[in-house]
Amino acid sequence: MANTEKSKLKLLYLYYYFDQLGADPSETGRTMGEILSYLSEKTGNDFERKSVYADINRLNEFARSVDMVDTGTDWITLESRKYLRGEIKNELTLDEARLIVDAINATDFIDSGLCGKIKKMYPNYFKKDYNSVVPHDDRKVQRISSTSSLNTIRTAIDEGYVLGFKYGYIVAGGIRGDSERKVSPIALDFENSHYYIIAVDNDAVDNGTDPKAAIKRYRIDRMKEFKLLGQKGYIGFGKDKDKILNKYLKDSVDAFASSASKDFTITLESDNTKELLKAFSGLAEDVKVRIISDELNNGRIKFLVTASLVPPFFNILFRLSLYDGIKITIEDQEVIDMYEQYLIKAMSSINK
């Protein structure tokens, strides 16, 4: 073997070769012949098997010395005349990497080429026959234009700065009807496939609203022209910040919030047990419930609901009536009155 500069890179090429394989459970490994062909292609030199055996031992020793693998464990092993690459501590597994790519592809997310980066990091996890999940509809989502937008938001949260931006409505792929907003961000939230900022509306505080009552959610894909205003915000919640944030989240339904949540009892009845279960399960997916009386054999289930009386909640409540043969009993007059007003308003909006 000639002692060329390329031959000195042999060990690095070998490391890269096995690193790119990934710890794929279905991987059958590589033969010594395939390894030698790869090294020859990269360096222009032919190497003896003995030297490659020694390099593999060095790589295993290195992996153990830097805690890539457990003591006494080899990173590269020989099984049935093929060399397999084991898992490195703290690296993404096959399922984890695919889960991340699937989640990004199926939700409104950052259009930063993140999926491509992950696939390049783990090429063996994403072969040509791999198909990621896709969104369930045809709409074109408004994606965050760059990671710099999120970085600006996180800086405002971490440093307590006021954040300025324009906020509007997504129409025909653009943001329309936008207006200037000035807020003090408390946290980022991710719900129903959208990023939100939970923030104090500084303009509302300027007009006399208590900061706790001025907390709102702002959907990030409806925002543009982010800027740090370089001043401290109105938050001032101190040690109570997490407590106030948790209460806000508790009192929220589908990104809408009220001053407080309410407990009340609902009874569902039906002669069809399957429809009864479907109705209850549908509600329980969207709001907090606790079963009081389970009488499925008698076609009845009674439960306590904890929810804020905001428009999205009544939309969820209305969906119960779409199940065949379901009878609903609400044991709270305020909820009944507000639900009736919701239905009347819905009917009045129909142009007959």
Side-chain angles (χ1 to χ4, degrees):
M1 178 188 70
N3 186 20
T4 65
E5 289 300 318
K6 282 288 186 181
S7 68
K8 294 178 182 179
L9 293 174
K10 175 166 66 80
L11 186 61
L12 294 177
Y13 278 123
L14 197 61
Y15 177 92
Y16 180 78
Y17 181 74
F18 282 106
D19 183 62
Q20 292 297 293
L21 286 183
D24 184 349
S26 65
E27 177 59 57
T28 59
R30 296 292 184 269
T31 64
M32 178 56 72
E34 290 172 319
I35 296 172
L36 290 171
S37 294
Y38 168 80
L39 292 173
S40 177
E41 177 188 346
K42 290 296 182 182
T43 66
N45 288 332
D46 293 329
F47 297 97
E48 297 177 358
R49 291 171 177 259
K50 190 175 181 180
S51 70
V52 177
Y53 297 148
D55 283 343
I56 290 175
N57 288 333
R58 291 189 184 99
L59 289 178
N60 282 329
E61 183 180 350
F62 168 76
R64 288 189 293 270
S65 69
V66 296
D67 202 33
M68 284 172 52
V69 296
D70 291 329
T71 302
T73 301
D74 285 339
W75 178 41
I76 302 167
T77 58
L78 178 62
E79 295 182 19
S80 302
R81 297 187 178 181
K82 288 191 175 183
Y83 288 88
L84 300 175
R85 181 263 217 226
E87 189 175 315
I88 297 173
K89 287 183 180 180
N90 301 320
E91 77 172 335
L92 294 179
T93 65
L94 171 73
D95 291 337
E96 289 169 342
R98 289 184 174 182
L99 178 64
I100 292 171
V101 169
D102 290 347
I104 294 171
N105 282 330
T107 60
D108 304 346
F109 210 72
I110 306 169
D111 191 11
S112 63
L114 183 56
C115 287
K117 291 178 182 178
I118 295 173
K119 289 179 179 180
K120 286 182 179 179
M121 288 175 65
Y122 301 95
N124 213 47
Y125 289 171
F126 301 96
K127 299 176 182 178
K128 292 181 179 179
D129 59 346
Y130 174 75
N131 292 315
S132 178
V133 297
V134 294
H136 287 212
D137 53 45
D138 298 327
R139 64 190 176 90
K140 293 182 179 180
V141 298
Q142 179 73 25
R143 293 177 181 263
I144 302 170
S145 58
S146 69
T147 54
S148 63
S149 300
L150 281 178
N151 289 338
T152 300
I153 293 167
R154 288 193 173 101
T155 298
I157 293 170
D158 294 341
E159 303 297 330
Y161 287 124
V162 172
L163 181 70
F165 55 88
K166 289 185 177 180
Y167 196 60
Y169 302 89
I170 300 173
V171 178
I175 299 176
R176 310 281 290 277
D178 53 278
S179 59
E180 294 281 352
R181 301 296 176 94
K182 185 175 64 174
V183 306
S184 295
I186 303 172
L188 277 171
D189 190 20
F190 190 78
E191 185 176 10
N192 296 332
S193 298
H194 292 289
Y195 262 124
Y196 294 85
I197 298 175
I198 300 175
V200 175
D201 181 346
N202 287 19
D203 292 326
V205 175
D206 284 342
N207 292 325
T209 302
D210 183 271
K212 295 178 186 178
I215 299 175
K216 299 179 181 178
R217 269 194 183 98
Y218 300 88
R219 225 174 83 177
I220 293 181
D221 60 351
R222 291 173 53 187
M223 303 162 65
K224 63 180 182 180
E225 299 181 22
F226 299 89
K227 54 187 175 182
L228 294 175
L229 299 183
Q231 52 186 299
K232 296 296 181 180
Y234 286 107
I235 298 176
F237 296 148
K239 294 181 180 179
D240 293 331
K241 176 183 173 182
D242 289 342
K243 181 179 178 181
I244 292 169
L245 177 61
N246 289 337
K247 184 178 185 303
Y248 175 85
L249 294 172
K250 177 184 176 183
D251 296 339
S252 299
V253 179
D254 281 352
F256 280 72
S258 66
S259 59
S261 58
K262 182 169 186 154
D263 295 336
F264 51 93
T265 301
I266 292 180
T267 301
L268 298 181
E269 297 178 90
S270 176
D271 294 333
N272 188 322
T273 301
K274 187 174 181 179
E275 286 296 300
L276 181 59
L277 288 170
K278 286 167 62 178
F280 173 75
S281 297
L283 180 67
E285 287 179 359
D286 295 312
V287 297
K288 183 178 179 181
V289 301
R290 180 168 61 83
I291 295 176
I292 298 174
S293 176
D294 180 354
E295 302 178 31
L296 287 175
N297 292 336
N298 296 322
R300 185 186 305 110
I301 186 168
K302 185 176 183 179
F303 50 93
L304 183 71
V305 175
T306 302
S308 297
L309 303 184
V310 291
F313 168 71
F314 293 107
N315 182 37
I316 293 169
L317 194 60
F318 173 74
R319 294 204 297 265
L320 288 175
S321 62
L322 301 180
Y323 293 93
D324 291 338
I326 293 292
K327 294 181 181 179
I328 308 166
T329 302
I330 301 172
E331 298 181 23
D332 187 290
Q333 193 58 47
E334 181 187 13
V335 178
I336 293 172
D337 292 342
M338 293 183 69
Y339 187 35
E340 287 181 346
Q341 290 300 314
Y342 169 86
L343 295 174
I344 291 170
K345 187 176 182 179
M347 288 297 296
S348 65
S349 67
I350 300 175
N351 189 6
K352 298 181 180 180

